[in-house]
Amino acid sequence: QVQLVESGGGLVQPGGSLRLSCAASGSIFSINTMDWYRQAPGKQRELVAGITTGGTTNYADSVKGRFTISRDNAKNTVFLQMNSLKPEDTAVYYCYADITKRTPFSMTPGSRVDYWGQGIPVTVSS
């Protein structure tokens, strides 16, 4: 099976920084897009940033210039560097990956599936 495991969240003061990581493991043939989403209390989940296999990125307007998404394809890991954090960045952050699974007992590509991490809380407060 495939798992996404996030790390790096926590409590930070306004203006501070955090770096989130999300590592994918399991029967993976390839990983296509990797994204970070967030969901604040009482709000819908929203896309924060995304990155393709080739490194093309996109960001929500609210985080442009403050957040940077990157990935290490060799380690199946995506990162989110968050700087100049604001209280409105407080949310549970979720990692998403569009993954082509490896066919069992083979190195050939199998089905393409969406995977989500378990979510990691980020709190920005003084």
Side-chain angles (χ1 to χ4, degrees):
Q1 265 299 353
V2 175
Q3 272 191 317
L4 300 182
V5 179
E6 298 133 333
S7 60
L11 173 65
V12 64
Q13 292 187 341
S17 297
L18 282 176
R19 189 185 194 218
L20 304 183
S21 300
C22 172
S25 62
S27 298
I28 297 170
F29 180 82
S30 64
I31 301 180
N32 308 301
T33 299
M34 299 187 83
D35 300 332
W36 286 98
Y37 284 76
R38 68 185 180 187
Q39 187 166 17
K43 295 189 176 181
Q44 289 190 330
R45 191 174 298 189
E46 63 174 354
L47 176 66
V48 175
I51 185 167
T52 66
T53 306
T56 301
T57 59
N58 64 285
Y59 297 93
D61 288 342
S62 59
V63 307
K64 281 181 182 175
R66 300 188 297 121
F67 291 10
T68 302
I69 189 170
S70 60
R71 63 191 281 176
D72 183 336
N73 290 329
K75 296 183 178 180
N76 291 336
T77 300
V78 64
F79 306 97
L80 186 67
Q81 178 66 43
M82 304 186 292
N83 299 328
S84 303
L85 282 160
K86 304 175 181 180
E88 51 263 44
D89 295 318
T90 295
V92 177
Y93 284 70
Y94 296 89
C95 174
Y96 160 86
D98 171 4
I99 293 176
T100 299
K101 295 174 65 176
R102 181 164 45 84
T103 302
F105 312 110
S106 159
M107 295 302 292
T108 58
S111 57
R112 190 165 172 174
V113 182
D114 297 335
Y115 286 94
W116 291 89
Q118 78 282 4
I120 191 164
V122 171
T123 303
V124 184
S125 175
S126 53

